[in-house]
Amino acid sequence: MYQNILMAFDGSASSEIALTHAARLTRALGASLRVAYVEVDPALYFPLMAAALPSIADVRDSVGAETMAVREAALNVLSREGVAADFITLPLVDSHMHVADRVLAEALHAGSDLVISGSHGRRGLSRLALGSEASRLVAHANVPVLIVKSTAQ
């Protein structure tokens, strides 16, 4: 069935729920699991915020600290589930690329046969304003995608 699973993880509560499902599925199938965090440079989307910081080093330190916190959250879930996985950071360096596009590019590069992601389950105006990376994953994927809906709304 599935042997090479890619899990998109952002450290949110819905992402942790999805990672729990991914870990259990990985164990049940005897598959390998790769957990991917897309690291977004805030200067791409919020140039004024980056300009307010004293230096680009401060921006990089802030992004690096967030990445380490997300990695730690993922490792905690994996440890609790007793599953080993690779954790990779995927830098997003183009403001025209979506997080989902970066995840799908990695899935293709790694030969993943299943992509798993959580969904915040936003509806209405909040979904319209924020978009849906989960929907974009499903719409543009060339491999099966499992979206795990968060029960915490």
Side-chain angles (χ1 to χ4, degrees):
M1 180 157 250
Y2 303 115
Q3 293 302 309
N4 190 7
I5 299 171
L6 178 66
M7 167 67 204
F9 186 78
D10 66 6
S12 66
S14 62
S15 189
E16 288 190 16
I17 291 167
L19 182 54
T20 299
H21 283 271
R24 291 174 182 173
L25 184 61
T26 296
R27 186 174 49 243
L29 295 175
S32 66
L33 178 62
R34 175 176 267 194
V35 180
Y37 171 64
V38 178
E39 186 177 70
V40 179
D41 181 347
L44 289 175
Y45 298 97
F46 308 106
L48 293 177
M49 182 182 81
L53 294 172
S55 71
I56 194 68
D58 289 344
V59 173
R60 286 194 180 120
D61 288 346
S62 174
V63 170
E66 180 179 337
T67 299
M68 292 306 295
V70 169
R71 181 179 187 279
E72 187 68 27
L75 293 176
N76 286 340
V77 171
L78 294 167
S79 175
R80 184 177 67 234
E81 293 298 324
V83 172
D86 292 330
F87 182 92
I88 60 168
T89 302
L90 306 173
L92 186 68
V93 294
D94 180 352
S95 64
H96 299 290
M97 182 180 240
H98 289 264
V99 169
D101 298 333
R102 187 66 177 96
V103 169
L104 292 173
E106 177 59 27
L108 180 66
H109 173 75
S112 301
D113 50 15
L114 176 66
V115 174
I116 301 176
S117 177
S119 174
H120 299 285
R122 293 185 183 102
R123 299 192 189 285
L125 290 178
S126 64
R127 183 182 184 279
L128 184 62
L130 298 172
S132 173
E133 293 299 324
S135 293
R136 190 168 182 89
L137 273 174
V138 171
H140 295 274
N142 291 323
V143 297
V145 175
L146 172 63
I147 302 297
V148 179
K149 297 261 312 207
S150 172
T151 56
Q153 297 293 328

